[in-house]
Short mmCIF file of all heavy atoms in Angstrom, two decimals:
data_model
loop_
_atom_site.label_atom_id
_atom_site.label_comp_id
_atom_site.label_asym_id
_atom_site.label_seq_id
_atom_site.Cartn_x
_atom_site.Cartn_y
_atom_site.Cartn_z
N LEU A 529 0.76 -1.14 0.04
CA LEU A 529 0.06 0.00 0.00
C LEU A 529 0.79 1.31 0.03
O LEU A 529 0.39 2.41 -0.03
CB LEU A 529 -0.87 0.04 1.28
CG LEU A 529 -1.96 -1.04 1.22
CD1 LEU A 529 -2.73 -1.13 2.54
CD2 LEU A 529 -3.01 -0.88 0.09
N SER A 530 2.19 1.16 -0.03
CA SER A 530 3.05 2.28 0.10
C SER A 530 3.16 2.86 -1.29
O SER A 530 2.84 2.40 -2.37
CB SER A 530 4.49 1.87 0.52
OG SER A 530 5.16 1.13 -0.34
N ASP A 531 3.80 4.22 -1.25
CA ASP A 531 4.09 4.74 -2.54
C ASP A 531 5.10 4.15 -3.46
O ASP A 531 5.22 4.51 -4.63
CB ASP A 531 4.46 6.25 -2.29
CG ASP A 531 3.31 7.07 -1.69
OD1 ASP A 531 2.16 6.75 -1.98
OD2 ASP A 531 3.60 8.08 -1.03
N GLU A 532 5.78 3.18 -2.94
CA GLU A 532 6.96 2.64 -3.72
C GLU A 532 6.57 1.46 -4.56
O GLU A 532 7.28 1.02 -5.44
CB GLU A 532 8.09 2.18 -2.71
CG GLU A 532 7.63 1.06 -1.76
CD GLU A 532 8.70 0.75 -0.66
OE1 GLU A 532 9.05 1.73 0.07
OE2 GLU A 532 9.00 -0.39 -0.60
N VAL A 533 5.36 1.03 -4.46
CA VAL A 533 4.82 -0.06 -5.25
C VAL A 533 3.63 0.28 -6.11
O VAL A 533 2.72 0.90 -5.71
CB VAL A 533 4.41 -1.32 -4.36
CG1 VAL A 533 3.71 -2.45 -5.15
CG2 VAL A 533 5.55 -1.86 -3.46
N HIS A 534 3.80 0.08 -7.54
CA HIS A 534 2.83 0.42 -8.50
C HIS A 534 2.73 -0.72 -9.45
O HIS A 534 3.73 -1.33 -9.69
CB HIS A 534 3.23 1.76 -9.19
CG HIS A 534 3.39 2.93 -8.25
ND1 HIS A 534 2.40 3.58 -7.72
CD2 HIS A 534 4.57 3.38 -7.76
CE1 HIS A 534 2.79 4.58 -6.90
NE2 HIS A 534 4.14 4.45 -6.92
N PRO A 535 1.71 -0.81 -10.20
CA PRO A 535 1.50 -1.71 -11.43
C PRO A 535 2.61 -1.32 -12.39
O PRO A 535 2.85 -0.01 -12.55
CB PRO A 535 0.05 -1.45 -11.90
CG PRO A 535 -0.69 -0.83 -10.79
CD PRO A 535 0.29 -0.09 -9.94
N ASN A 536 3.21 -2.26 -13.08
CA ASN A 536 4.12 -1.95 -14.08
C ASN A 536 3.56 -2.04 -15.45
O ASN A 536 2.31 -2.30 -15.58
CB ASN A 536 5.49 -2.73 -13.93
CG ASN A 536 5.24 -4.23 -14.05
OD1 ASN A 536 4.58 -4.72 -15.01
ND2 ASN A 536 5.69 -5.02 -13.12
N GLN A 537 4.31 -1.92 -16.46
CA GLN A 537 3.75 -1.94 -17.91
C GLN A 537 3.12 -3.21 -18.21
O GLN A 537 2.23 -3.37 -19.04
CB GLN A 537 4.86 -1.56 -18.94
CG GLN A 537 5.21 -0.04 -18.89
CD GLN A 537 3.99 0.80 -19.16
OE1 GLN A 537 3.21 0.54 -20.08
NE2 GLN A 537 3.73 1.88 -18.38
N ALA A 538 3.73 -4.30 -17.63
CA ALA A 538 3.12 -5.72 -17.90
C ALA A 538 1.66 -5.68 -17.37
O ALA A 538 0.76 -6.19 -17.93
CB ALA A 538 3.96 -6.74 -17.29
N HIS A 539 1.43 -5.26 -16.17
CA HIS A 539 0.06 -5.28 -15.50
C HIS A 539 -0.85 -4.44 -16.36
O HIS A 539 -1.98 -4.76 -16.71
CB HIS A 539 0.12 -4.75 -14.13
CG HIS A 539 1.00 -5.62 -13.14
ND1 HIS A 539 2.11 -5.18 -12.72
CD2 HIS A 539 0.61 -6.72 -12.49
CE1 HIS A 539 2.59 -6.08 -11.79
NE2 HIS A 539 1.66 -7.06 -11.69
N ILE A 540 -0.33 -3.24 -16.82
CA ILE A 540 -1.05 -2.40 -17.59
C ILE A 540 -1.48 -2.81 -18.87
O ILE A 540 -2.64 -2.69 -19.41
CB ILE A 540 -0.36 -0.93 -17.63
CG1 ILE A 540 -0.14 -0.27 -16.31
CG2 ILE A 540 -0.98 -0.07 -18.71
CD1 ILE A 540 0.70 0.86 -16.21
N ALA A 541 -0.50 -3.53 -19.51
CA ALA A 541 -0.72 -4.14 -20.88
C ALA A 541 -1.87 -5.25 -20.82
O ALA A 541 -2.73 -5.33 -21.71
CB ALA A 541 0.53 -4.72 -21.40
N LEU A 542 -1.87 -5.92 -19.83
CA LEU A 542 -2.94 -7.10 -19.64
C LEU A 542 -4.32 -6.46 -19.40
O LEU A 542 -5.32 -6.96 -19.89
CB LEU A 542 -2.56 -8.05 -18.50
CG LEU A 542 -1.33 -8.95 -18.63
CD1 LEU A 542 -1.10 -9.82 -17.51
CD2 LEU A 542 -1.41 -9.75 -19.94
N ALA A 543 -4.43 -5.33 -18.53
CA ALA A 543 -5.58 -4.66 -18.43
C ALA A 543 -6.10 -3.97 -19.68
O ALA A 543 -7.38 -4.02 -20.00
CB ALA A 543 -5.35 -3.59 -17.28
N GLU A 544 -5.20 -3.59 -20.57
CA GLU A 544 -5.61 -3.05 -21.88
C GLU A 544 -6.09 -4.09 -22.76
O GLU A 544 -7.01 -4.03 -23.51
CB GLU A 544 -4.29 -2.30 -22.53
CG GLU A 544 -4.65 -1.75 -23.81
CD GLU A 544 -3.50 -1.09 -24.60
OE1 GLU A 544 -2.34 -1.40 -24.08
OE2 GLU A 544 -3.64 -0.56 -25.68
N LEU A 545 -5.51 -5.36 -22.76
CA LEU A 545 -5.88 -6.42 -23.51
C LEU A 545 -7.30 -6.79 -23.07
O LEU A 545 -8.20 -7.11 -23.94
CB LEU A 545 -4.96 -7.59 -23.33
CG LEU A 545 -5.28 -8.89 -24.04
CD1 LEU A 545 -5.28 -8.73 -25.62
CD2 LEU A 545 -4.29 -10.05 -23.70
N GLU A 546 -7.60 -6.94 -21.73
CA GLU A 546 -8.89 -7.31 -21.25
C GLU A 546 -9.99 -6.28 -21.84
O GLU A 546 -11.17 -6.66 -22.15
CB GLU A 546 -8.98 -7.24 -19.79
CG GLU A 546 -10.29 -7.78 -19.19
CD GLU A 546 -10.29 -7.92 -17.76
OE1 GLU A 546 -9.16 -8.31 -17.19
OE2 GLU A 546 -11.35 -7.57 -17.05
N GLU A 547 -9.63 -4.97 -21.84
CA GLU A 547 -10.46 -3.92 -22.32
C GLU A 547 -10.70 -4.09 -23.95
O GLU A 547 -11.85 -3.80 -24.18
CB GLU A 547 -9.88 -2.58 -22.04
CG GLU A 547 -10.75 -1.44 -22.40
CD GLU A 547 -10.21 -0.07 -22.18
OE1 GLU A 547 -9.11 -0.11 -21.52
OE2 GLU A 547 -10.73 0.92 -22.59
N LYS A 548 -9.82 -4.32 -24.60
CA LYS A 548 -9.86 -4.28 -26.12
C LYS A 548 -10.22 -5.71 -26.70
O LYS A 548 -10.69 -5.72 -27.85
CB LYS A 548 -8.55 -3.81 -26.74
CG LYS A 548 -8.32 -2.36 -26.30
CD LYS A 548 -7.09 -1.84 -26.92
CE LYS A 548 -6.89 -0.27 -26.65
NZ LYS A 548 -5.57 0.28 -27.20
N PHE A 549 -9.92 -6.74 -26.06
CA PHE A 549 -10.12 -8.11 -26.61
C PHE A 549 -11.57 -8.45 -26.77
O PHE A 549 -12.36 -8.18 -25.86
CB PHE A 549 -9.45 -9.03 -25.65
CG PHE A 549 -9.39 -10.52 -26.32
CD1 PHE A 549 -8.81 -10.85 -27.45
CD2 PHE A 549 -10.05 -11.47 -25.54
CE1 PHE A 549 -8.81 -12.13 -27.95
CE2 PHE A 549 -10.08 -12.86 -26.09
CZ PHE A 549 -9.44 -13.19 -27.16
N GLN A 550 -12.04 -8.88 -27.79
CA GLN A 550 -13.42 -9.24 -28.06
C GLN A 550 -14.01 -10.49 -27.44
O GLN A 550 -15.04 -10.69 -27.25
CB GLN A 550 -13.75 -9.32 -29.59
CG GLN A 550 -13.50 -7.97 -30.35
CD GLN A 550 -14.35 -6.81 -29.88
OE1 GLN A 550 -15.51 -6.99 -29.81
NE2 GLN A 550 -13.69 -5.69 -29.50
N GLY A 551 -13.00 -11.40 -27.17
CA GLY A 551 -13.30 -12.58 -26.49
C GLY A 551 -13.22 -12.58 -25.02
O GLY A 551 -13.47 -11.55 -24.36
N LYS A 552 -13.04 -13.70 -24.42
CA LYS A 552 -12.98 -13.94 -23.00
C LYS A 552 -11.52 -14.08 -22.55
O LYS A 552 -10.68 -14.71 -23.04
CB LYS A 552 -13.72 -15.13 -22.46
CG LYS A 552 -13.76 -15.31 -21.01
CD LYS A 552 -14.53 -16.58 -20.59
CE LYS A 552 -14.53 -16.78 -19.15
NZ LYS A 552 -15.45 -17.90 -18.68
#
């Protein structure tokens, strides 16, 4: 929960895939 830990580009990319992917 500290300021030193954040999602990185890999996490963000998978979230983007979930948003744009037409399947499951």
Side-chain angles (χ1 to χ4, degrees):
L529 294 171
S530 71
D531 292 337
E532 63 190 53
V533 174
H534 303 280
N536 61 51
Q537 286 303 311
H539 297 105
I540 293 167
L542 292 182
E544 181 184 7
L545 179 62
E546 185 177 323
E547 180 184 353
K548 295 181 177 179
F549 186 63
Q550 297 300 308
K552 182 179 181 182

